[in-house]
């Protein structure tokens, strides 16, 4: 489902300074929230001009994140949780965060009318947004398309290691309970009951029976 949001576009005040190009890499510039960036934000832009993107806290107006986008180049960034106002500045010659792309019409400021929320849904889905300005021409910045973008997380078994215990005072097939000092034989822990499953397999030898703990990993993909 595509939602169209109205934008407010305005040039910066005119100045007389001559352009002074500053080299800036495509991608994330900074994240000042101190929070982990895990939610997807993708922006599609046309070629020919560049973009300076900032996310501002919707309640306080504090700058949360900034990124530089080379027009027409694939751009996707992970952002921290929260609700933000998205601001884009479009221009040709980047002159740094203070001067942006230059005075007057050299820097066009575009602000989404409604804030964007980045949050977890359904315990395993990270909800973000896809902003598309690729079809907007120089005089068509009043409307862009915004639609949701999700990352679905799945958990899978990574490894089930067999770890060697630290104690070696009793046989591998015997277990002594401290409360009653009874010796219980557990044949399934005897050495002959194990079978090598790989180069990391460990066979207990005059050691207490032990249990391993599975290791899991979380994978995320667009959904």
């Amino acid at each position: 489902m595509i939602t169209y949001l109205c934008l407010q576009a305005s040039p910066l005040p005119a100045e007389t300074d001559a352009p002074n190009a500053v080299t800036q890499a495509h991608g994330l510039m900074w994240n000042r929230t101190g929070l982990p960036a895990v939610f997807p934000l993708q922006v599609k832009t046309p070629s020919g001009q560049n973009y300076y993107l900032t996310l501002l806290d919707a309640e306080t107006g504090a700058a949360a994140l900034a990124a530089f986008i080379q027009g027409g180049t694939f751009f996707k960034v992970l952002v921290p949780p929260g609700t933000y106002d998205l601001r884009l500045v479009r221009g040709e010659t980047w002159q740094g965060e203070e001067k942006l792309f230059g005075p007057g019409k050299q820097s066009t400021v575009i602000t989404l009318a409604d804030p964007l929320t980045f949050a977890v849904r359904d315990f395993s889905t990270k909800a973000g947004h896809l902003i598309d300005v690729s079809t907007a021409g120089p005089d068509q910045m009043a409307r862009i398309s915004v639609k949701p973008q999700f990352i679905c997380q799945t958990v899978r078994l990574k490894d089930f290691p067999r770890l060697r215990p630290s104690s070696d005072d009793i046989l591998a097939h015997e277990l002594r309970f401290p409360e009653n000092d009874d010796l219980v034989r557990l044949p399934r822990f005897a050495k002959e009951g194990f079978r090598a499953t790989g180069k990391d397999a460990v066979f207990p030898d005059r050691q207490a029976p032990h249990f391993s703990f599975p290791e899991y990993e979380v994978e995320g993909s667009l959904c």
Side-chain angles (χ1 to χ4, degrees):
M1 179 177 180
I2 298 178
T3 305
Y4 289 94
L5 300 179
C6 293
L7 304 178
Q8 297 177 350
S10 60
L12 294 183
E15 296 181 3
T16 58
D17 294 345
N20 186 15
V22 175
T23 301
Q24 177 62 54
H26 176 81
L28 178 68
M29 296 174 65
W30 43 260
N31 173 9
R32 295 175 180 169
T33 64
L35 300 174
V38 294
F39 297 92
L41 173 61
Q42 183 176 348
V43 181
K44 294 182 178 180
T45 59
S47 58
Q49 290 187 313
N50 299 315
Y51 295 79
Y52 173 63
L53 178 150
T54 52
L55 293 181
L56 309 174
D57 188 283
E59 292 186 0
T60 66
L65 177 147
F68 187 80
I69 305 174
Q70 295 177 356
T73 303
F74 176 81
F75 173 83
K76 186 175 182 179
V77 67
L78 296 178
V79 306
T83 300
Y84 304 101
D85 292 319
L86 186 145
R87 180 176 182 262
L88 284 171
V89 181
R90 186 178 67 174
E92 295 183 1
T93 304
W94 178 246
Q95 301 177 42
E97 292 188 80
E98 182 177 348
K99 294 183 178 181
L100 301 176
F101 296 99
K105 295 183 178 180
Q106 295 181 41
S107 297
T108 301
V109 181
I110 308 159
T111 304
L112 285 181
D114 296 325
L116 303 176
T117 297
F118 299 85
V120 174
R121 298 182 182 177
D122 303 328
F123 301 102
S124 61
T125 303
K126 297 176 180 177
H129 301 274
L130 170 60
I131 314 298
D132 190 354
V133 298
S134 61
T135 59
D139 300 323
Q140 299 174 340
M141 299 305 295
R143 295 164 66 89
I144 64 173
S145 65
V146 179
K147 65 179 182 179
Q149 187 173 85
F150 303 101
I151 294 180
C152 293
Q153 298 183 122
T154 57
V155 179
R156 73 177 184 90
L157 182 65
K158 179 181 179 181
D159 194 11
F160 204 156
R162 183 173 294 163
L163 305 177
R164 183 180 295 277
S166 58
S167 60
D168 58 357
D169 57 342
I170 57 178
L171 294 176
H173 63 286
E174 294 176 344
L175 177 64
R176 188 178 301 277
F177 293 94
E179 59 270 17
N180 54 21
D181 205 34
D182 290 336
L183 189 64
V184 180
R185 294 185 177 276
L186 302 174
R188 64 192 179 99
F189 288 110
K191 180 176 179 178
E192 57 270 16
F194 289 95
R195 182 176 61 183
T197 58
K199 63 180 182 179
D200 296 328
V202 175
F203 297 95
D205 187 8
R206 295 190 61 79
Q207 295 183 7
H210 61 283
F211 298 91
S212 296
F213 296 94
E215 296 179 3
Y216 298 93
E217 65 180 3
V218 178
E219 292 184 336
S221 58
L222 292 178
C223 56

